[in-house]
Amino acid sequence: MALTDELERIATLAATHAPAGDEVSGIIATEPTAGRRVYLCSFDDADGMRSWLAVCEDGAPVTSREELREAVSIAAICEVAVDAAGGGDVDALIASLAELREREAPEGIEVAEEAARGLRAGLGDPPQLATPARLDEIGTATRRLERELDPGGASPFAAAMKSAQGAVAELQREIEAGYRLNLI
């Protein structure tokens, strides 16, 4: 089943846990460990207030704080990785590299373009499943690109990932504060 279809199915299942008037406003698909999917579902009520509920593939709500945190962590870290990869706009980078190749034809530009296209392919189009393997793939492709562009330079991607802990903690706080059930 395509992820888009799966998200529609999950939205329907998650909606059964909401009072009338609340709508599923977003879903983040995660697989913190192989074979175990958790969907982070946001709900908006009639007053625009947001709340959250994580559900498993069968629609059962997640009540374990540890399981919720694992899902939130991989979702947040993957989002940071996507945003930081290739400077944040891989398509613009690819276009700039092509323009540079046409204008100046520097040595090695084709390899850099290939690395950028590889990163773009790895990022794919939304929606995507947040997994440790996806995070590794993005990191590997980004580092390859960084090495082609500046072989001796520091990694802006690595720096972004190191600073991601604040974003992870903030998302965890937001979701736990607005969680629809008591966590154990």
Side-chain angles (χ1 to χ4, degrees), residues 43-94:
F43 293 83
D44 290 338
D45 68 14
D47 295 329
M49 298 298 295
R50 174 151 299 156
S51 61
W52 293 85
L53 182 69
V55 298
C56 300
E57 285 184 85
D58 63 359
V62 170
T63 57
S64 162
R65 185 178 308 275
E66 182 178 337
E67 187 175 4
L68 176 64
R69 285 182 175 174
E70 288 173 352
V72 171
S73 291
I74 194 63
I77 292 170
C78 279
E79 185 63 28
V80 169
V82 168
D83 289 348
D89 189 345
V90 178
D91 293 329
L93 177 61
I94 291 169

mmCIF file of all heavy atoms in Angstrom, residues 43-94:
data_model
loop_
_atom_site.group_PDB
_atom_site.id
_atom_site.type_symbol
_atom_site.label_atom_id
_atom_site.label_comp_id
_atom_site.label_asym_id
_atom_site.label_seq_id
_atom_site.Cartn_x
_atom_site.Cartn_y
_atom_site.Cartn_z
ATOM 1 N N PHE A 43 -4.648 16.993 15.732
ATOM 2 C CA PHE A 43 -6.075 17.286 15.625
ATOM 3 C C PHE A 43 -6.282 18.762 15.890
ATOM 4 O O PHE A 43 -5.637 19.328 16.774
ATOM 5 C CB PHE A 43 -6.876 16.509 16.684
ATOM 6 C CG PHE A 43 -6.886 15.027 16.495
ATOM 7 C CD1 PHE A 43 -5.840 14.247 16.946
ATOM 8 C CD2 PHE A 43 -7.955 14.409 15.865
ATOM 9 C CE1 PHE A 43 -5.846 12.875 16.781
ATOM 10 C CE2 PHE A 43 -7.976 13.035 15.697
ATOM 11 C CZ PHE A 43 -6.908 12.268 16.153
ATOM 12 N N ASP A 44 -7.157 19.370 15.149
ATOM 13 C CA ASP A 44 -7.563 20.747 15.410
ATOM 14 C C ASP A 44 -9.037 20.730 15.785
ATOM 15 O O ASP A 44 -9.850 20.087 15.106
ATOM 16 C CB ASP A 44 -7.346 21.628 14.174
ATOM 17 C CG ASP A 44 -5.868 21.856 13.887
ATOM 18 O OD1 ASP A 44 -5.044 21.723 14.809
ATOM 19 O OD2 ASP A 44 -5.532 22.162 12.732
ATOM 20 N N ASP A 45 -9.370 21.438 16.869
ATOM 21 C CA ASP A 45 -10.779 21.516 17.246
ATOM 22 C C ASP A 45 -11.407 22.756 16.627
ATOM 23 O O ASP A 45 -10.745 23.514 15.906
ATOM 24 C CB ASP A 45 -10.952 21.465 18.766
ATOM 25 C CG ASP A 45 -10.425 22.690 19.498
ATOM 26 O OD1 ASP A 45 -10.152 23.729 18.864
ATOM 27 O OD2 ASP A 45 -10.293 22.603 20.737
ATOM 28 N N ALA A 46 -12.668 22.977 16.892
ATOM 29 C CA ALA A 46 -13.401 24.089 16.288
ATOM 30 C C ALA A 46 -12.800 25.445 16.650
ATOM 31 O O ALA A 46 -12.931 26.407 15.893
ATOM 32 C CB ALA A 46 -14.868 24.036 16.716
ATOM 33 N N ASP A 47 -12.112 25.528 17.791
ATOM 34 C CA ASP A 47 -11.489 26.783 18.221
ATOM 35 C C ASP A 47 -10.055 26.926 17.729
ATOM 36 O O ASP A 47 -9.363 27.878 18.101
ATOM 37 C CB ASP A 47 -11.502 26.879 19.755
ATOM 38 C CG ASP A 47 -12.905 26.962 20.313
ATOM 39 O OD1 ASP A 47 -13.789 27.514 19.624
ATOM 40 O OD2 ASP A 47 -13.121 26.459 21.433
ATOM 41 N N GLY A 48 -9.589 25.981 16.926
ATOM 42 C CA GLY A 48 -8.234 26.038 16.397
ATOM 43 C C GLY A 48 -7.170 25.525 17.355
ATOM 44 O O GLY A 48 -5.984 25.677 17.106
ATOM 45 N N MET A 49 -7.591 24.919 18.451
ATOM 46 C CA MET A 49 -6.638 24.353 19.409
ATOM 47 C C MET A 49 -6.128 23.014 18.863
ATOM 48 O O MET A 49 -6.889 22.225 18.315
ATOM 49 C CB MET A 49 -7.297 24.135 20.774
ATOM 50 C CG MET A 49 -7.772 25.435 21.408
ATOM 51 S SD MET A 49 -6.458 26.618 21.753
ATOM 52 C CE MET A 49 -5.540 25.739 22.980
ATOM 53 N N ARG A 50 -4.837 22.790 19.012
ATOM 54 C CA ARG A 50 -4.219 21.558 18.499
ATOM 55 C C ARG A 50 -3.975 20.580 19.633
ATOM 56 O O ARG A 50 -3.542 20.949 20.712
ATOM 57 C CB ARG A 50 -2.891 21.886 17.821
ATOM 58 C CG ARG A 50 -2.157 20.622 17.410
ATOM 59 C CD ARG A 50 -1.286 20.766 16.227
ATOM 60 N NE ARG A 50 -2.079 21.154 15.079
ATOM 61 C CZ ARG A 50 -1.585 21.798 14.029
ATOM 62 N NH1 ARG A 50 -0.324 22.124 13.987
ATOM 63 N NH2 ARG A 50 -2.344 22.118 13.022
ATOM 64 N N SER A 51 -4.260 19.319 19.337
ATOM 65 C CA SER A 51 -3.926 18.234 20.253
ATOM 66 C C SER A 51 -3.335 17.101 19.416
ATOM 67 O O SER A 51 -3.345 17.162 18.181
ATOM 68 C CB SER A 51 -5.165 17.774 21.033
ATOM 69 O OG SER A 51 -6.146 17.290 20.141
ATOM 70 N N TRP A 52 -2.819 16.097 20.102
ATOM 71 C CA TRP A 52 -2.092 15.031 19.424
ATOM 72 C C TRP A 52 -2.522 13.659 19.923
ATOM 73 O O TRP A 52 -2.910 13.501 21.076
ATOM 74 C CB TRP A 52 -0.590 15.173 19.684
ATOM 75 C CG TRP A 52 0.008 16.385 19.069
ATOM 76 C CD1 TRP A 52 0.051 17.651 19.604
ATOM 77 C CD2 TRP A 52 0.652 16.469 17.803
ATOM 78 N NE1 TRP A 52 0.687 18.500 18.738
ATOM 79 C CE2 TRP A 52 1.070 17.799 17.630
ATOM 80 C CE3 TRP A 52 0.925 15.541 16.799
ATOM 81 C CZ2 TRP A 52 1.739 18.227 16.499
ATOM 82 C CZ3 TRP A 52 1.597 15.957 15.672
ATOM 83 C CH2 TRP A 52 1.996 17.288 15.525
ATOM 84 N N LEU A 53 -2.385 12.688 19.039
ATOM 85 C CA LEU A 53 -2.577 11.289 19.397
ATOM 86 C C LEU A 53 -1.709 10.467 18.463
ATOM 87 O O LEU A 53 -1.725 10.680 17.246
ATOM 88 C CB LEU A 53 -4.044 10.860 19.244
ATOM 89 C CG LEU A 53 -4.341 9.417 19.634
ATOM 90 C CD1 LEU A 53 -4.189 9.227 21.151
ATOM 91 C CD2 LEU A 53 -5.742 9.025 19.197
ATOM 92 N N ALA A 54 -0.942 9.559 19.027
ATOM 93 C CA ALA A 54 -0.158 8.630 18.220
ATOM 94 C C ALA A 54 -0.925 7.320 18.155
ATOM 95 O O ALA A 54 -1.472 6.872 19.166
ATOM 96 C CB ALA A 54 1.219 8.417 18.830
ATOM 97 N N VAL A 55 -0.976 6.746 16.966
ATOM 98 C CA VAL A 55 -1.655 5.469 16.802
ATOM 99 C C VAL A 55 -0.738 4.488 16.083
ATOM 100 O O VAL A 55 0.135 4.879 15.306
ATOM 101 C CB VAL A 55 -2.999 5.606 16.044
ATOM 102 C CG1 VAL A 55 -3.978 6.480 16.812
ATOM 103 C CG2 VAL A 55 -2.795 6.137 14.641
ATOM 104 N N CYS A 56 -0.989 3.216 16.348
ATOM 105 C CA CYS A 56 -0.265 2.142 15.674
ATOM 106 C C CYS A 56 -0.964 1.832 14.352
ATOM 107 O O CYS A 56 -1.999 2.420 14.037
ATOM 108 C CB CYS A 56 -0.231 0.902 16.560
ATOM 109 S SG CYS A 56 0.584 1.188 18.147
ATOM 110 N N GLU A 57 -0.416 0.893 13.599
ATOM 111 C CA GLU A 57 -0.981 0.556 12.292
ATOM 112 C C GLU A 57 -2.439 0.110 12.355
ATOM 113 O O GLU A 57 -3.195 0.332 11.417
ATOM 114 C CB GLU A 57 -0.145 -0.543 11.623
ATOM 115 C CG GLU A 57 1.159 -0.022 11.088
ATOM 116 C CD GLU A 57 1.935 -1.083 10.349
ATOM 117 O OE1 GLU A 57 1.667 -1.283 9.145
ATOM 118 O OE2 GLU A 57 2.806 -1.702 10.984
ATOM 119 N N ASP A 58 -2.832 -0.508 13.468
ATOM 120 C CA ASP A 58 -4.209 -0.973 13.594
ATOM 121 C C ASP A 58 -5.142 0.098 14.156
ATOM 122 O O ASP A 58 -6.328 -0.140 14.356
ATOM 123 C CB ASP A 58 -4.274 -2.236 14.456
ATOM 124 C CG ASP A 58 -3.819 -2.000 15.891
ATOM 125 O OD1 ASP A 58 -3.423 -0.865 16.247
ATOM 126 O OD2 ASP A 58 -3.857 -2.970 16.680
ATOM 127 N N GLY A 59 -4.594 1.282 14.399
ATOM 128 C CA GLY A 59 -5.390 2.390 14.916
ATOM 129 C C GLY A 59 -5.431 2.461 16.426
ATOM 130 O O GLY A 59 -6.035 3.374 16.986
ATOM 131 N N ALA A 60 -4.792 1.506 17.096
ATOM 132 C CA ALA A 60 -4.768 1.528 18.558
ATOM 133 C C ALA A 60 -3.911 2.695 19.033
ATOM 134 O O ALA A 60 -2.806 2.904 18.528
ATOM 135 C CB ALA A 60 -4.209 0.215 19.095
ATOM 136 N N PRO A 61 -4.408 3.450 20.006
ATOM 137 C CA PRO A 61 -3.634 4.588 20.507
ATOM 138 C C PRO A 61 -2.378 4.143 21.254
ATOM 139 O O PRO A 61 -2.371 3.116 21.922
ATOM 140 C CB PRO A 61 -4.588 5.283 21.476
ATOM 141 C CG PRO A 61 -5.926 4.711 21.228
ATOM 142 C CD PRO A 61 -5.728 3.365 20.621
ATOM 143 N N VAL A 62 -1.349 4.942 21.145
ATOM 144 C CA VAL A 62 -0.114 4.725 21.893
ATOM 145 C C VAL A 62 -0.305 5.351 23.269
ATOM 146 O O VAL A 62 -0.677 6.522 23.375
ATOM 147 C CB VAL A 62 1.084 5.368 21.158
ATOM 148 C CG1 VAL A 62 2.333 5.365 22.022
ATOM 149 C CG2 VAL A 62 1.324 4.672 19.825
ATOM 150 N N THR A 63 -0.046 4.555 24.309
ATOM 151 C CA THR A 63 -0.156 5.069 25.673
ATOM 152 C C THR A 63 1.186 5.039 26.397
ATOM 153 O O THR A 63 1.289 5.564 27.498
ATOM 154 C CB THR A 63 -1.198 4.275 26.493
ATOM 155 O OG1 THR A 63 -0.840 2.889 26.480
ATOM 156 C CG2 THR A 63 -2.601 4.466 25.908
ATOM 157 N N SER A 64 2.195 4.469 25.786
ATOM 158 C CA SER A 64 3.526 4.397 26.379
ATOM 159 C C SER A 64 4.299 5.676 26.065
ATOM 160 O O SER A 64 4.507 6.014 24.897
ATOM 161 C CB SER A 64 4.280 3.182 25.829
ATOM 162 O OG SER A 64 5.662 3.302 26.061
ATOM 163 N N ARG A 65 4.738 6.357 27.098
ATOM 164 C CA ARG A 65 5.524 7.584 26.922
ATOM 165 C C ARG A 65 6.806 7.278 26.143
ATOM 166 O O ARG A 65 7.202 8.037 25.265
ATOM 167 C CB ARG A 65 5.854 8.198 28.280
ATOM 168 C CG ARG A 65 6.566 9.532 28.193
ATOM 169 C CD ARG A 65 6.833 10.136 29.570
ATOM 170 N NE ARG A 65 5.647 10.214 30.401
ATOM 171 C CZ ARG A 65 4.755 11.206 30.379
ATOM 172 N NH1 ARG A 65 4.943 12.216 29.555
ATOM 173 N NH2 ARG A 65 3.701 11.184 31.168
ATOM 174 N N GLU A 66 7.447 6.151 26.430
ATOM 175 C CA GLU A 66 8.687 5.786 25.742
ATOM 176 C C GLU A 66 8.442 5.546 24.251
ATOM 177 O O GLU A 66 9.201 6.033 23.409
ATOM 178 C CB GLU A 66 9.288 4.526 26.372
ATOM 179 C CG GLU A 66 10.590 4.114 25.735
ATOM 180 C CD GLU A 66 11.192 2.887 26.402
ATOM 181 O OE1 GLU A 66 10.883 2.607 27.579
ATOM 182 O OE2 GLU A 66 11.981 2.211 25.727
ATOM 183 N N GLU A 67 7.375 4.848 23.921
ATOM 184 C CA GLU A 67 7.063 4.597 22.506
ATOM 185 C C GLU A 67 6.737 5.903 21.784
ATOM 186 O O GLU A 67 7.174 6.124 20.651
ATOM 187 C CB GLU A 67 5.888 3.619 22.399
ATOM 188 C CG GLU A 67 5.610 3.171 20.994
ATOM 189 C CD GLU A 67 4.526 2.107 20.906
ATOM 190 O OE1 GLU A 67 3.912 1.748 21.930
ATOM 191 O OE2 GLU A 67 4.293 1.644 19.773
ATOM 192 N N LEU A 68 6.003 6.785 22.445
ATOM 193 C CA LEU A 68 5.682 8.085 21.858
ATOM 194 C C LEU A 68 6.963 8.884 21.627
ATOM 195 O O LEU A 68 7.161 9.449 20.543
ATOM 196 C CB LEU A 68 4.733 8.866 22.761
ATOM 197 C CG LEU A 68 4.393 10.278 22.294
ATOM 198 C CD1 LEU A 68 3.628 10.257 20.974
ATOM 199 C CD2 LEU A 68 3.608 11.021 23.368
ATOM 200 N N ARG A 69 7.836 8.922 22.600
ATOM 201 C CA ARG A 69 9.074 9.699 22.467
ATOM 202 C C ARG A 69 9.967 9.165 21.354
ATOM 203 O O ARG A 69 10.610 9.941 20.659
ATOM 204 C CB ARG A 69 9.824 9.736 23.795
ATOM 205 C CG ARG A 69 9.158 10.669 24.784
ATOM 206 C CD ARG A 69 9.915 10.759 26.076
ATOM 207 N NE ARG A 69 9.286 11.763 26.936
ATOM 208 C CZ ARG A 69 9.654 11.998 28.174
ATOM 209 N NH1 ARG A 69 10.670 11.327 28.709
ATOM 210 N NH2 ARG A 69 9.031 12.918 28.882
ATOM 211 N N GLU A 70 10.025 7.857 21.188
ATOM 212 C CA GLU A 70 10.813 7.285 20.089
ATOM 213 C C GLU A 70 10.276 7.757 18.740
ATOM 214 O O GLU A 70 11.041 8.125 17.847
ATOM 215 C CB GLU A 70 10.790 5.757 20.149
ATOM 216 C CG GLU A 70 11.595 5.170 21.275
ATOM 217 C CD GLU A 70 11.416 3.662 21.404
ATOM 218 O OE1 GLU A 70 10.556 3.081 20.709
ATOM 219 O OE2 GLU A 70 12.145 3.059 22.215
ATOM 220 N N ALA A 71 8.960 7.741 18.591
ATOM 221 C CA ALA A 71 8.343 8.173 17.333
ATOM 222 C C ALA A 71 8.577 9.662 17.091
ATOM 223 O O ALA A 71 8.923 10.078 15.982
ATOM 224 C CB ALA A 71 6.846 7.860 17.344
ATOM 225 N N VAL A 72 8.400 10.469 18.132
ATOM 226 C CA VAL A 72 8.596 11.919 18.000
ATOM 227 C C VAL A 72 10.059 12.223 17.669
ATOM 228 O O VAL A 72 10.344 13.057 16.801
ATOM 229 C CB VAL A 72 8.161 12.654 19.289
ATOM 230 C CG1 VAL A 72 8.561 14.128 19.240
ATOM 231 C CG2 VAL A 72 6.655 12.518 19.495
ATOM 232 N N SER A 73 10.974 11.533 18.313
ATOM 233 C CA SER A 73 12.407 11.776 18.073
ATOM 234 C C SER A 73 12.788 11.517 16.632
ATOM 235 O O SER A 73 13.431 12.363 15.994
ATOM 236 C CB SER A 73 13.264 10.912 19.003
ATOM 237 O OG SER A 73 13.140 11.344 20.320
ATOM 238 N N ILE A 74 12.406 10.365 16.082
ATOM 239 C CA ILE A 74 12.811 10.064 14.706
ATOM 240 C C ILE A 74 12.099 11.006 13.733
ATOM 241 O O ILE A 74 12.687 11.421 12.732
ATOM 242 C CB ILE A 74 12.610 8.572 14.345
ATOM 243 C CG1 ILE A 74 13.359 8.234 13.049
ATOM 244 C CG2 ILE A 74 11.145 8.197 14.231
ATOM 245 C CD1 ILE A 74 14.851 8.392 13.111
ATOM 246 N N ALA A 75 10.863 11.374 14.033
ATOM 247 C CA ALA A 75 10.151 12.319 13.163
ATOM 248 C C ALA A 75 10.864 13.665 13.133
ATOM 249 O O ALA A 75 11.103 14.234 12.063
ATOM 250 C CB ALA A 75 8.708 12.496 13.637
ATOM 251 N N ALA A 76 11.219 14.173 14.309
ATOM 252 C CA ALA A 76 11.863 15.493 14.389
ATOM 253 C C ALA A 76 13.253 15.475 13.766
ATOM 254 O O ALA A 76 13.615 16.386 13.011
ATOM 255 C CB ALA A 76 11.936 15.947 15.846
ATOM 256 N N ILE A 77 14.028 14.441 14.047
ATOM 257 C CA ILE A 77 15.390 14.382 13.517
ATOM 258 C C ILE A 77 15.370 14.233 12.001
ATOM 259 O O ILE A 77 16.173 14.866 11.300
ATOM 260 C CB ILE A 77 16.192 13.255 14.206
ATOM 261 C CG1 ILE A 77 16.420 13.624 15.676
ATOM 262 C CG2 ILE A 77 17.512 13.014 13.506
ATOM 263 C CD1 ILE A 77 16.993 12.505 16.521
ATOM 264 N N CYS A 78 14.461 13.426 11.476
ATOM 265 C CA CYS A 78 14.355 13.302 10.015
ATOM 266 C C CYS A 78 13.953 14.631 9.381
ATOM 267 O O CYS A 78 14.472 15.008 8.324
ATOM 268 C CB CYS A 78 13.369 12.196 9.627
ATOM 269 S SG CYS A 78 14.067 10.536 9.709
ATOM 270 N N GLU A 79 13.070 15.367 10.023
ATOM 271 C CA GLU A 79 12.652 16.662 9.491
ATOM 272 C C GLU A 79 13.818 17.647 9.482
ATOM 273 O O GLU A 79 14.019 18.371 8.497
ATOM 274 C CB GLU A 79 11.482 17.228 10.299
ATOM 275 C CG GLU A 79 10.912 18.498 9.739
ATOM 276 C CD GLU A 79 10.303 18.355 8.352
ATOM 277 O OE1 GLU A 79 9.833 17.270 7.997
ATOM 278 O OE2 GLU A 79 10.310 19.358 7.600
ATOM 279 N N VAL A 80 14.592 17.664 10.543
ATOM 280 C CA VAL A 80 15.771 18.527 10.584
ATOM 281 C C VAL A 80 16.740 18.127 9.477
ATOM 282 O O VAL A 80 17.305 18.982 8.779
ATOM 283 C CB VAL A 80 16.459 18.476 11.971
ATOM 284 C CG1 VAL A 80 17.824 19.151 11.941
ATOM 285 C CG2 VAL A 80 15.572 19.126 13.031
ATOM 286 N N ALA A 81 16.933 16.822 9.289
ATOM 287 C CA ALA A 81 17.854 16.338 8.246
ATOM 288 C C ALA A 81 17.398 16.774 6.862
ATOM 289 O O ALA A 81 18.204 17.246 6.058
ATOM 290 C CB ALA A 81 17.978 14.817 8.315
ATOM 291 N N VAL A 82 16.116 16.645 6.581
ATOM 292 C CA VAL A 82 15.587 17.066 5.282
ATOM 293 C C VAL A 82 15.790 18.562 5.090
ATOM 294 O O VAL A 82 16.216 19.017 4.024
ATOM 295 C CB VAL A 82 14.094 16.685 5.144
ATOM 296 C CG1 VAL A 82 13.451 17.367 3.949
ATOM 297 C CG2 VAL A 82 13.937 15.173 5.042
ATOM 298 N N ASP A 83 15.507 19.337 6.131
ATOM 299 C CA ASP A 83 15.650 20.792 6.037
ATOM 300 C C ASP A 83 17.102 21.234 5.879
ATOM 301 O O ASP A 83 17.381 22.243 5.236
ATOM 302 C CB ASP A 83 15.049 21.474 7.267
ATOM 303 C CG ASP A 83 13.529 21.406 7.305
ATOM 304 O OD1 ASP A 83 12.911 21.043 6.276
ATOM 305 O OD2 ASP A 83 12.960 21.690 8.376
ATOM 306 N N ALA A 84 18.040 20.480 6.457
ATOM 307 C CA ALA A 84 19.455 20.866 6.416
ATOM 308 C C ALA A 84 20.199 20.292 5.209
ATOM 309 O O ALA A 84 21.244 20.811 4.835
ATOM 310 C CB ALA A 84 20.148 20.415 7.699
ATOM 311 N N ALA A 85 19.671 19.248 4.615
ATOM 312 C CA ALA A 85 20.370 18.562 3.523
ATOM 313 C C ALA A 85 20.616 19.498 2.347
ATOM 314 O O ALA A 85 19.711 20.179 1.877
ATOM 315 C CB ALA A 85 19.560 17.350 3.064
ATOM 316 N N GLY A 86 21.843 19.524 1.897
ATOM 317 C CA GLY A 86 22.186 20.315 0.721
ATOM 318 C C GLY A 86 21.945 21.803 0.884
ATOM 319 O O GLY A 86 21.697 22.502 -0.086
ATOM 320 N N GLY A 87 21.996 22.282 2.113
ATOM 321 C CA GLY A 87 21.791 23.702 2.352
ATOM 322 C C GLY A 87 20.330 24.094 2.442
ATOM 323 O O GLY A 87 20.006 25.270 2.510
ATOM 324 N N GLY A 88 19.441 23.121 2.425
ATOM 325 C CA GLY A 88 18.024 23.397 2.613
ATOM 326 C C GLY A 88 17.208 23.486 1.350
ATOM 327 O O GLY A 88 15.989 23.394 1.395
ATOM 328 N N ASP A 89 17.832 23.661 0.199
ATOM 329 C CA ASP A 89 17.091 23.737 -1.057
ATOM 330 C C ASP A 89 17.906 23.012 -2.137
ATOM 331 O O ASP A 89 18.651 23.634 -2.895
ATOM 332 C CB ASP A 89 16.833 25.191 -1.446
ATOM 333 C CG ASP A 89 15.871 25.318 -2.620
ATOM 334 O OD1 ASP A 89 15.607 24.312 -3.323
ATOM 335 O OD2 ASP A 89 15.384 26.444 -2.850
ATOM 336 N N VAL A 90 17.744 21.709 -2.172
ATOM 337 C CA VAL A 90 18.546 20.886 -3.077
ATOM 338 C C VAL A 90 18.232 21.201 -4.533
ATOM 339 O O VAL A 90 19.136 21.221 -5.378
ATOM 340 C CB VAL A 90 18.353 19.388 -2.761
ATOM 341 C CG1 VAL A 90 19.147 18.520 -3.721
ATOM 342 C CG2 VAL A 90 18.767 19.095 -1.324
ATOM 343 N N ASP A 91 16.988 21.467 -4.846
ATOM 344 C CA ASP A 91 16.634 21.784 -6.235
ATOM 345 C C ASP A 91 17.347 23.054 -6.707
ATOM 346 O O ASP A 91 17.861 23.104 -7.832
ATOM 347 C CB ASP A 91 15.113 21.931 -6.393
ATOM 348 C CG ASP A 91 14.388 20.606 -6.182
ATOM 349 O OD1 ASP A 91 14.974 19.546 -6.502
ATOM 350 O OD2 ASP A 91 13.242 20.632 -5.698
ATOM 351 N N ALA A 92 17.402 24.072 -5.864
ATOM 352 C CA ALA A 92 18.113 25.300 -6.225
ATOM 353 C C ALA A 92 19.613 25.039 -6.348
ATOM 354 O O ALA A 92 20.273 25.595 -7.239
ATOM 355 C CB ALA A 92 17.852 26.399 -5.197
ATOM 356 N N LEU A 93 20.142 24.185 -5.484
ATOM 357 C CA LEU A 93 21.556 23.836 -5.560
ATOM 358 C C LEU A 93 21.864 23.124 -6.874
ATOM 359 O O LEU A 93 22.852 23.441 -7.540
ATOM 360 C CB LEU A 93 21.964 22.964 -4.375
ATOM 361 C CG LEU A 93 23.405 22.464 -4.384
ATOM 362 C CD1 LEU A 93 24.386 23.631 -4.351
ATOM 363 C CD2 LEU A 93 23.636 21.515 -3.217
ATOM 364 N N ILE A 94 21.013 22.203 -7.264
ATOM 365 C CA ILE A 94 21.203 21.490 -8.533
ATOM 366 C C ILE A 94 21.198 22.476 -9.696
ATOM 367 O O ILE A 94 22.046 22.415 -10.586
ATOM 368 C CB ILE A 94 20.132 20.387 -8.713
ATOM 369 C CG1 ILE A 94 20.364 19.263 -7.701
ATOM 370 C CG2 ILE A 94 20.126 19.855 -10.143
ATOM 371 C CD1 ILE A 94 19.232 18.258 -7.608
#
